[in-house]
Amino acid sequence: MASKGAPDSVALILFFVFWYALNMKYNEYNTAALSAVGGKTSGLTMTVATMQLGVCAVYAVIMWVIKLNPAKVFGLQAPEKQDTPKITKADLIKSIPLGFCSAGAHAATVFALGGDPLFGQIVKAAEPVLAAIVGTIFYAKAPSFYKVCCLPIIVGGVAFASLKKGDDGSYSLKFDATALIFGMLANAFAAFKGGENSKLMSDKGVAERYGGVGNQFAVTQIVGFIILLPIMYATEGNMASTFFDKLKTDSALQFNLVMSGLAFYIYNELATYTLKVTGAVTASVANTAKRVIVMVYMAAVTGKALTNEQKIGSGIAISGVLLYSLIDDLLGGKKKTKKA
């Protein structure tokens, strides 16, 4: 029997490393792709977001054609077999809400990071706030009392990061509106995505026919791409010829668009490999550390330093997110009543 490659313990470390590295590179490639089309005022942000999912869709189809998923190569292990999912038309219809929410989260994130890559990351740290609201109202999954108590910390951190100190020593709100609005919209979509994902995969038949999370993620990206296409043409269709003319000749746009799509797809897969075999505490710390590392990296790449208010505010918000993730385990908020 052929060796699968590196031991699982070594592979796990490498999955962590490349999850972080590809997340950082995605942010860099995404920023470069947006800059190549003229930045946030170019009127082509939705087009860039859609084309990134187009790259993801093509990558997913290629994996089905070759019947291999190479993601585990990043952990020095043999590629996994990935057959075409055996989902039915009804399964696909059930998957549309998840695809829509996933596409919305991605597009809104691209808009937010296009507005301000650093402040956009700070706003994205407030995702648990929207998750708590959406989960309570729409999915009957209210957070524990302890978690609710952590939410003001997260909100307060983001609010403080939005402040700027004037020459007279007084503070006023000063932030990139695009990053704030679309960052919160991305958080809302991500919250719905989590709820829809849980609902879809709770159907054992659907989960079995998908044949694994790899196939489910692939289908979600394809559905998301199909959903974003008409939205792209409705909102930025008048700029389509400009974009494709530029795409034909601009090697920087070609490279960054393809690489941002591939990095987005693969880092999400590596995150799945990593988090499904680690405990809740490790997963929480890993996600928190990732947010900090990405912000530091993007500050270096863009040459835009965080203000003191952003440093303090992001630190408060990210600490609040970590506490939110761990507090039930620390204080016993997840105690369940025994069945009679």
Side-chain angles (χ1 to χ4, degrees):
M1 183 176 178
S3 172
K4 70 175 183 178
D8 288 343
S9 57
V10 174
L12 179 61
I13 294 172
L14 291 173
F15 290 153
F16 263 114
V17 171
F18 283 105
W19 168 29
Y20 283 17
L22 288 172
N23 195 305
M24 290 187 291
K25 295 304 288 185
Y26 165 73
N27 279 269
E28 180 182 348
Y29 293 140
N30 178 64
T31 299
L34 290 172
S35 296
V37 297
K40 65 180 180 180
T41 60
S42 66
L44 286 169
T45 305
M46 179 61 79
T47 302
V48 170
T50 304
M51 292 300 105
Q52 286 176 347
L53 290 193
V55 172
C56 292
V58 171
Y59 182 71
V61 171
I62 290 173
M63 285 193 293
W64 288 330
V65 171
I66 65 175
K67 297 185 181 298
L68 286 175
N69 185 334
K72 284 203 169 182
V73 171
F74 287 92
L76 299 181
Q77 294 187 334
E80 281 189 317
K81 185 177 180 182
Q82 185 152 325
D83 293 319
T84 307
K86 297 177 174 60
I87 55 174
T88 64
K89 181 180 178 180
D91 295 337
L92 192 57
I93 292 173
K94 289 180 182 178
S95 302
I96 290 176
L98 174 59
F100 176 80
C101 294
S102 179
H106 174 70
T109 297
V110 173
F111 272 93
L113 299 181
D116 184 330
L118 300 181
F119 185 61
Q121 289 288 348
I122 296 173
V123 177
K124 286 280 291 170
E127 188 175 315
V129 177
L130 273 296
I133 295 171
V134 169
T136 301
I137 297 174
F138 295 96
Y139 299 100
K141 292 183 178 180
S144 69
F145 170 76
Y146 299 122
K147 285 183 178 290
V148 171
C149 291
C150 295
L151 297 181
I153 302 174
I154 302 172
V155 174
V158 174
F160 192 82
S162 304
L163 297 175
K164 184 173 182 180
K165 191 174 185 179
D167 295 334
D168 61 354
S170 63
Y171 284 94
S172 61
L173 285 172
K174 187 174 179 61
F175 53 85
D176 188 290
T178 300
L180 178 63
I181 294 169
F182 282 96
M184 293 306 289
L185 187 60
N187 290 342
F189 272 119
F192 279 107
K193 181 179 74 171
E196 290 301 320
N197 182 68
S198 297
K199 187 165 69 173
L200 178 68
M201 299 311 284
S202 65
D203 186 322
K204 300 301 181 184
V206 173
E208 184 177 336
R209 288 187 289 275
Y210 261 115
V213 293
N215 273 337
Q216 185 212 358
F217 184 69
V219 171
T220 299
Q221 301 316 300
I222 294 171
V223 172
F225 172 59
I226 294 171
I227 288 172
L228 284 190
L229 269 177
I231 299 174
M232 179 191 82
Y233 278 104
T235 57
E236 299 178 355
N238 61 319
M239 296 285 289
S241 60
T242 301
F243 173 80
F244 287 110
D245 287 343
K246 190 171 183 61
L247 185 61
K248 292 175 186 177
T249 59
D250 191 330
S251 59
L253 176 57
Q254 294 166 0
F255 176 81
N256 287 297
L257 197 60
V258 171
M259 293 306 294
S260 60
L262 288 176
F264 174 77
Y265 195 107
I266 297 172
Y267 92 66
N268 273 287
E269 285 211 303
L270 295 179
T272 300
Y273 288 151
T274 302
L275 299 181
K276 76 179 182 181
V277 296
T278 56
V281 173
T282 302
S284 300
V285 173
N287 267 312
T288 303
K290 180 205 71 175
R291 187 78 65 192
V292 175
I293 291 170
V294 168
M295 279 198 293
V296 172
Y297 180 76
M298 288 308 296
V301 168
T302 61
K304 181 181 178 182
L306 291 166
T307 65
N308 289 332
E309 291 74 27
Q310 287 177 328
K311 290 175 183 177
I312 296 171
S314 62
I316 293 171
I318 291 172
S319 298
V321 171
L322 179 61
L323 184 60
Y324 179 93
S325 302
L326 302 179
I327 197 162
D328 278 339
D329 292 323
L330 294 173
L331 299 181
K334 286 186 177 179
K335 290 180 180 178
K336 298 180 180 179
T337 56
K338 295 181 179 180
K339 293 183 179 179

